[in-house]
Amino acid sequence: MRHMRLTSGPLPRLHLRGLRANRRMHNLPSHITVDPEVSEAVHANKPVVALESTILTHGIPYPHNLDMAHDLNKLIRAEGAVPATIALVKGRPTVGATDEEIEYLCQPPKDGSFIKISRRDLAYAVAHGITGGTTIAGTMILAHLAGIRVFATGGLGGVHRGAEATMDISADLEELGRTPVAVVSAGAKAILDLEKTFEYLETKGVHVSTYGPKGVNLPAFYSRDSGIPSPFNFETAKEAAAVIHANSLLQLQSGMLFCVPAPHEFDIPAVEIDAIINKAVISAQEAGIKGKAITPFLLNRILDLTDGRSLESNVGFVKNNIKVGVCIAKALSEIANKTNDEILPSSALQPAIPSTFAPAANSVSPPTLELAQTSDAADCLVVGAVAIDLTCDLTYGVLDKQSSWIHTSNQGAIHRTPGGVGFNLCLATTYASSPDTTIRMISAVGPEARDLPAVLNLTSTTSPDLSGVLVIEDGRTAQYIAMHDCKGDLILACADMGLVEQLSPAHIKSEFARAGKSPHWVGVDANLNREPLSTAISCAREAGAKVLLEPTSVMRAQVILELGDVGVTNVLPNPPAVDVMTPNSIELEGLFSHARELGLFERQDWWDVIDAMGTTTDFQTAIAWMARESGIMEQAVEKGLVQMAVHLLPFTPNLFIKMGELGVITVQLVNESEVRGRMVGHRQLSTGPGFVMWRGTKIAGQGENVCVLVRHHAAHKVTGDIVSVTGAGDSFAGVLLSELVEADKRGIKNILADVDAIARTVDRAQRAAVLTLMSRFAISPEIKKLQ
């Protein structure tokens, strides 16, 4: 037998320089079995790396788990350290399982008698002679008792999604807070709430570092980048070892987490794996899976959804973590043998981790854009798509029948410019804002989008802050292809927004955290999927900022009504999900129809607001008169745009409805005390050229009367040739957003309730749209000259 029992009491050859307080093992229980090779290595201060066993008993199926176990042991030995697989074998805590014991662990019986062993399970499993795989927490406890300082694994447990309701938090985090073992992993498992997990570790006083130069973010298990900034970074094994050594000398009695991003060949981009994880989570919810069963269920479901790719990735980065773990263990041994209880400064340390394992800093850092500002404060954040626009102008666009264009090649001109609704919105807002106003973009792009400033010929005074744009080295920048006829009208378009549709919520949260309470407004591009869209809105609310949404399309506009936090103005505890929305007439119809389908017009709180408006036939007659005088009778009244907008006001209190050459209709719900302007009267109904104001009453439970404001803003004439309609609506929304931001900066209270100010704002925004109609750029640079 290779095993020996370590009896209680002091052991010989245990007074190791630099690690005496932690390596004595004088309280090691006699019933813990430690492999003689492991024991001897610990005594001689040779590098030892601990391995968990739940990956064998509950993680990877047989015989793949057995093959991997042997491969990992061979790998550790080949790198110059001693492996120590930790488990419970028939009730006996085992540090350094034999080949026979590993094979036994890899073939758990179908009756489920092998269990996962965490701190709470140890005593019970020993008392009942149970076999099981140790979790990170269980492995840390036994490794510490045996004097092992470094433990390499795959992914850390943590705070599960929805933990605020389920209180499902892994014991791994608690153990890291009270057991001084260094854990080397690929971050926390991606199925978790990563931001809460690392917040919890901070609360527990756990040191967390990520391998790579300063600025490399925390990894997310399958993905190299979680979007969450790492508290610290280490670039050499000896830097990590110095932290472990100092932790020991200071007797902090807490663990340390050293995160290693997965190698590029095993990385599954966050935009891809997040969608798969969401499907797995939904499957778990539908199946009623909870507690200890949730993690293995999710990992197996992800395995199915990725056709086995997740397993390949898992095994790949586990091996990578072990290689880094061995380097750290060797460096720790070297420090302990060369120092006498001194903390070695990191500046004296030399690189020890092979460069082939080092993550490239630019794989997770923001794009290298020389014009990007770096200030953390921002007056406005824009969350959405950055895309490459290809605009195809057909020479023969005057052909009578569009059917003549299809199924064949067409002559024309193709222009390539930066675009994307989010970027267009950001750029237009920047162009229209004062030089001292910071507009920051939050998005993700592939490496080909690094030349945005060069393509646009931006100057330092007109560049948006692009420091919030994440460059994903193996990602593909969103693309939009539009075909126009010779009049500039859109024939057909195709949008490939996969990279930004699933923009990492963690990246969004980290950028909002960086900006703090500085943003006045947040612009949101509805190209985002539900989770990032909801994240952007909730983060804006937490920052105290208002939200403007550019819908982008009928389907995208409808998603906002499906969010869980959609609230009714001044009634529910939550404010409305969106303060301002800028739909076109088709998008407004889609919003109205979808709200009706969702039953939002049947809610009592919606009725409370509608009752407070109290609009009568007098209001409807005034709207009809205004529409007739303004030449928009068909759109405003016969198609019912104003009536539909009024129905939506409890959810979005400021609607700026774009009608192309017919201008813009604004429909707003505001508090009576805030309304001001030349055409505002004191009667229940006030009217003026293209303007109607209706006074309502107090909303149930509220202390202020409400007013409905409706106004038609005539369109500006296009004085030149229309080059493209792409970007005109984004220009309008961007200038509108700029005016709102500037007003807040100047301390103007609720400019949205100022009838005259809104008229001037819409006029400027429409002039910006006209400039873009005549420009080959998605956003006309001439907007900078608008007064």
Side-chain angles (χ1 to χ4, degrees):
M1 293 289 293
R2 291 171 52 208
H3 288 160
M4 63 175 289
R5 289 188 180 181
L6 297 182
T7 58
S8 59
L11 296 176
R13 302 172 61 193
L14 205 58
H15 298 284
L16 306 177
R17 288 182 297 169
L19 294 175
R20 290 199 293 268
N22 297 83
R23 291 256 182 147
R24 288 175 182 166
M25 301 183 294
H26 58 274
N27 291 319
L28 181 64
S30 60
H31 54 269
I32 293 182
T33 300
V34 180
D35 180 79
E37 183 187 14
V38 173
S39 177
E40 181 179 346
V42 170
H43 291 180
N45 197 29
K46 294 180 180 178
V48 181
V49 176
L51 300 172
E52 62 160 296
S53 49
T54 50
I55 196 169
L56 306 181
T57 59
H58 293 79
I60 298 177
Y62 182 83
H64 304 291
N65 53 357
L66 181 60
D67 293 338
M68 190 187 76
H70 291 320
D71 289 343
L72 298 186
N73 283 341
K74 291 177 183 177
L75 178 60
I76 292 173
R77 294 186 188 281
E79 296 292 328
V82 175
T85 300
I86 296 176
L88 255 72
V89 180
K90 298 179 180 179
R92 178 167 293 279
T94 301
V95 179
T98 65
D99 290 344
E100 295 78 13
E101 288 166 338
I102 288 175
E103 186 161 1
Y104 175 64
L105 291 166
C106 287
Q107 300 184 68
K110 294 182 179 180
D111 62 4
S113 58
F114 284 12
I115 67 172
K116 295 170 69 174
I117 308 292
S118 189
R119 174 178 281 269
R120 73 166 188 178
D121 312 297
L122 271 170
Y124 180 87
V126 170
H128 290 80
I130 293 174
T131 296
T134 50
T135 63
I136 287 179
T139 303
M140 288 180 70
I141 293 169
L142 297 180
H144 177 53
L145 288 172
I148 301 173
R149 304 301 315 284
V150 179
F151 163 31
T153 185
L156 183 73
V159 180
H160 280 264
R161 302 182 185 193
E164 61 271 18
T166 65
M167 297 300 291
D168 192 354
I169 301 174
S170 171
D172 296 347
L173 305 188
E174 288 288 335
E175 207 58 49
L176 273 164
R178 59 185 174 186
T179 302
V181 171
V183 178
V184 181
S185 81
K189 294 183 175 70
I191 59 176
L192 305 168
D193 187 324
L194 298 182
E195 189 167 34
K196 287 188 176 68
T197 294
F198 288 102
E199 285 288 342
Y200 197 94
L201 286 173
E202 180 183 4
T203 301
K204 291 298 178 180
V206 177
H207 171 86
V208 177
S209 286
T210 298
Y211 181 38
K214 185 177 180 180
V216 172
N217 290 335
L218 291 160
F221 199 58
Y222 300 111
S223 306
R224 292 173 57 82
D225 182 20
S226 68
I228 303 173
S230 182
F232 302 98
N233 291 90
F234 68 103
E235 295 188 65
T236 70
K238 287 191 176 181
E239 285 182 52
V243 173
I244 301 170
H245 182 63
N247 192 77
S248 171
L249 295 179
L250 295 171
Q251 300 183 26
L252 296 180
Q253 300 305 311
S254 56
M256 296 137 284
L257 179 63
F258 295 95
C259 300
V260 182
H264 284 288
E265 62 267 29
F266 299 115
D267 174 61
I268 303 178
V271 293
E272 177 182 346
I273 197 64
D274 284 350
I276 292 171
I277 290 171
N278 288 337
K279 290 180 182 178
V281 170
I282 292 172
S283 297
Q285 292 171 345
E286 292 174 346
I289 306 297
K290 298 178 181 178
K292 274 189 162 186
I294 187 69
T295 296
F297 177 90
L298 291 176
L299 293 178
N300 286 332
R301 183 72 179 121
I302 293 169
L303 181 66
D304 292 337
L305 292 172
T306 59
D307 294 326
R309 186 180 170 198
S310 63
L311 175 60
E312 179 184 356
S313 175
N314 197 341
V315 173
F317 61 66
V318 166
K319 291 182 178 180
N320 187 64
N321 296 343
I322 285 174
K323 290 181 180 180
V324 176
V326 169
C327 291
I328 293 173
K330 290 164 68 176
L332 183 60
S333 175
E334 181 181 348
I335 290 174
N337 285 324
K338 289 184 178 179
T339 63
N340 186 21
D341 291 351
E342 295 176 1
I343 299 177
L344 200 64
S346 60
S347 59
L349 306 177
Q350 298 300 318
I353 301 177
S355 60
T356 53
F357 306 135
N362 61 10
S363 65
V364 291
S365 58
T368 306
L369 298 170
E370 294 181 359
L371 302 174
Q373 304 170 42
T374 57
S375 171
D376 288 336
D379 300 297
C380 175
L381 300 176
V382 178
V383 188
V386 173
I388 300 298
D389 283 355
L390 290 175
T391 304
C392 310
D393 299 326
L394 300 186
T395 305
Y396 299 111
V398 294
L399 294 177
D400 292 336
K401 295 181 179 180
Q402 291 189 7
S403 59
S404 303
W405 308 339
I406 63 175
H407 306 304
T408 187
S409 298
N410 291 273
Q411 290 185 347
I414 300 177
H415 306 285
R416 179 181 182 272
T417 59
V421 172
F423 183 75
N424 289 346
L425 183 63
C426 183
L427 193 58
T429 307
T430 302
Y431 282 164
S433 298
S434 58
D436 62 343
T437 299
T438 302
I439 314 297
R440 179 177 299 148
M441 185 75 214
I442 300 176
S443 187
V445 297
E448 69 274 19
R450 292 181 187 276
D451 63 346
L452 285 176
V455 172
L456 274 179
N457 194 26
L458 296 177
T459 67
S460 58
T461 59
T462 58
S463 171
D465 181 347
L466 301 176
S467 63
V469 179
L470 191 70
V471 173
I472 300 177
E473 288 298 330
D474 54 358
R476 184 177 64 187
T477 301
Q479 298 183 64
Y480 176 81
I481 301 176
M483 301 191 72
H484 299 138
D485 61 22
C486 66
K487 295 181 293 183
D489 291 333
L490 181 67
I491 301 170
L492 181 69
C494 179
D496 177 3
M497 299 292 162
L499 191 65
V500 291
E501 284 176 352
Q502 299 183 46
L503 183 62
S504 167
H507 176 59
I508 296 172
K509 291 177 182 178
S510 68
E511 284 300 318
F512 270 91
R514 179 160 73 98
K517 299 291 184 179
S518 62
H520 298 282
W521 278 83
V522 174
V524 181
D525 163 6
N527 274 312
L528 301 174
N529 279 356
R530 184 176 284 103
E531 186 177 6
L533 180 62
S534 178
T535 298
I537 291 172
S538 62
C539 285
R541 292 305 177 203
E542 291 174 8
K546 298 183 181 69
V547 177
L548 178 148
L549 178 79
E550 170 54 39
T552 75
S553 69
V554 173
M555 295 299 294
R556 290 298 183 185
Q558 292 175 347
V559 173
I560 193 67
L561 297 174
E562 300 172 0
L563 299 183
D565 60 353
V566 60
V568 175
T569 306
N570 298 328
V571 176
L572 296 184
N574 291 332
V578 172
D579 297 278
V580 175
M581 195 181 297
T582 55
N584 59 32
S585 56
I586 297 174
E587 290 162 353
L588 181 77
E589 292 179 36
L591 282 165
F592 176 79
S593 299
H594 198 54
R596 185 166 53 189
E597 292 168 0
L598 293 174
L600 297 182
F601 299 149
E602 300 171 8
R603 288 167 42 164
Q604 183 57 49
D605 47 14
W606 178 83
W607 276 110
D608 289 339
V609 181
I610 295 300
D611 288 343
M613 292 184 197
T615 56
T616 66
T617 54
D618 290 340
F619 172 77
Q620 296 168 8
T621 300
I623 294 296
W625 177 263
M626 179 203 74
R628 186 178 296 107
E629 291 296 308
S630 300
I632 57 169
M633 187 69 179
E634 180 182 354
Q635 289 73 23
V637 177
E638 293 176 10
K639 289 186 176 180
L641 288 183
V642 172
Q643 190 65 19
M644 286 187 280
V646 169
H647 275 67
L648 291 168
L649 286 181
F651 304 106
T652 304
N654 297 280
L655 289 163
F656 289 67
I657 307 163
K658 298 171 291 189
M659 300 189 301
E661 60 186 11
L662 295 177
V664 172
I665 297 178
T666 54
V667 183
Q668 301 171 264
L669 178 65
V670 299
N671 291 324
E672 181 180 5
S673 64
E674 298 177 329
V675 179
R676 54 193 183 277
R678 289 172 297 173
M679 288 188 287
V680 174
H682 299 286
R683 300 180 302 277
Q684 184 177 34
L685 176 65
S686 299
T687 60
F691 174 77
V692 174
M693 170 181 165
W694 178 264
R695 276 187 167 81
T697 59
K698 296 177 182 179
I699 299 174
Q702 304 295 321
E704 182 151 5
N705 293 345
V706 297
C707 291
V708 180
L709 307 177
V710 181
R711 185 164 189 169
H712 174 250
H713 308 261
H716 277 263
K717 292 184 178 180
V718 181
T719 56
D721 294 333
I722 294 178
V723 177
S724 170
V725 297
T726 301
D730 300 340
S731 296
F732 175 89
V735 174
L736 171 60
L737 181 58
S738 169
E739 293 284 338
L740 298 175
V741 172
E742 295 291 341
D744 275 12
K745 282 185 64 181
R746 296 195 300 270
I748 299 175
K749 185 179 180 182
N750 197 7
I751 189 177
L752 288 164
D754 187 327
V755 174
D756 298 332
I758 288 300
R760 293 191 296 271
T761 295
V762 173
D763 177 77
R764 188 174 184 227
Q766 286 186 304
R767 285 188 284 131
V770 169
L771 289 173
T772 294
L773 286 172
M774 298 184 293
S775 173
R776 72 178 181 85
F777 292 105
I779 300 296
S780 171
E782 295 298 310
I783 292 174
K784 292 178 286 186
K785 301 177 182 178
L786 281 177
Q787 299 297 322

